[in-house]
Amino acid sequence: MSDNERSGPSSDDDLSLPKATVQKLINEMMPEDIVCAKDTRDLLIDCCVEFIHLIASEANEICEKETKKTIAGEHVVAALQTLGFEDYVEEVDEVFKEHKKQQKDRDRKSTRLENTGISEEELLRQQELLFAQSRIKFEAQQQ
């Protein structure tokens, strides 16, 4: 959770997207011989933030109607449909399913550690040993 989320509601002026990330996306979409001006990039960022706000607000309303406390992916898809973005629903569904699959894979990987049978104390001891060995190597290289 970011500092802005923890400190409560903030003004819309505080909301933005990382400029470098947006610039990278723009560069990937545009032909190499086309350049995007900074003010155009900033306008795109403002449009994206407004779009996210619109979808999130609608998803929140749908969530509240279902008496849920957490907005789920299904609420976002429903919000897209409600707001007239049906053309995007199929692709968003595909991305959502892929995200859920990646989450399951990540969860499986985290349980592998639990299934090793090694206690947390032993893992910590092994980690400290590796740090000590690395420190010795580093100090030897410095001399």
Side-chain angles (χ1 to χ4, degrees):
M1 189 178 277
S2 72
D3 289 341
N4 288 341
E5 289 172 315
R6 277 189 223 115
S7 63
S10 61
S11 72
D12 283 346
D13 293 339
D14 295 341
L15 303 174
S16 189
L17 296 171
K19 291 181 180 182
T21 302
V22 174
Q23 188 65 52
K24 182 179 177 190
L25 290 169
I26 292 169
N27 292 343
E28 289 175 5
M29 297 291 172
M30 303 286 285
E32 288 185 30
D33 60 331
I34 303 292
V35 178
C36 181
K38 288 181 182 179
D39 59 336
T40 304
R41 179 201 59 210
D42 292 344
L43 177 61
L44 279 170
I45 289 172
D46 290 343
C47 290
C48 291
V49 168
E50 187 61 32
F51 179 74
I52 292 168
H53 184 75
L54 176 70
I55 299 297
S57 295
E58 184 64 31
N60 186 50
E61 286 182 28
I62 293 168
C63 184
E64 287 177 350
K65 285 178 187 171
E66 295 179 4
T67 63
K68 304 281 184 181
K69 293 187 177 189
T70 303
I71 297 173
E74 293 83 8
H75 298 127
V76 174
V77 171
L80 287 168
Q81 291 171 327
T82 301
L83 294 169
F85 294 103
E86 294 89 1
D87 294 347
Y88 300 98
V89 169
E90 186 177 331
E91 189 174 348
V92 168
D93 263 336
E94 289 174 21
V95 171
F96 182 49
K97 287 175 185 170
E98 179 62 26
H99 172 74
K100 284 168 61 170
K101 181 181 177 289
Q102 288 175 355
Q103 286 300 111
K104 282 183 181 178
D105 291 347
R106 187 176 297 151
D107 290 346
R108 256 188 252 127
K109 287 178 184 174
S110 69
T111 58
R112 283 185 196 162
L113 180 63
E114 296 165 2
N115 294 335
T116 61
I118 301 173
S119 70
E120 192 173 329
E121 292 80 16
E122 176 60 19
L123 288 171
L124 184 59
R125 190 194 66 70
Q126 290 177 9
Q127 182 184 38
E128 288 172 353
L129 180 63
L130 289 170
F131 283 148
Q133 290 170 346
S134 294
R135 198 174 301 114
I136 290 168
K137 279 184 182 178
F138 177 76
E139 290 170 355
Q141 289 176 350
Q142 296 299 317
Q143 294 176 0

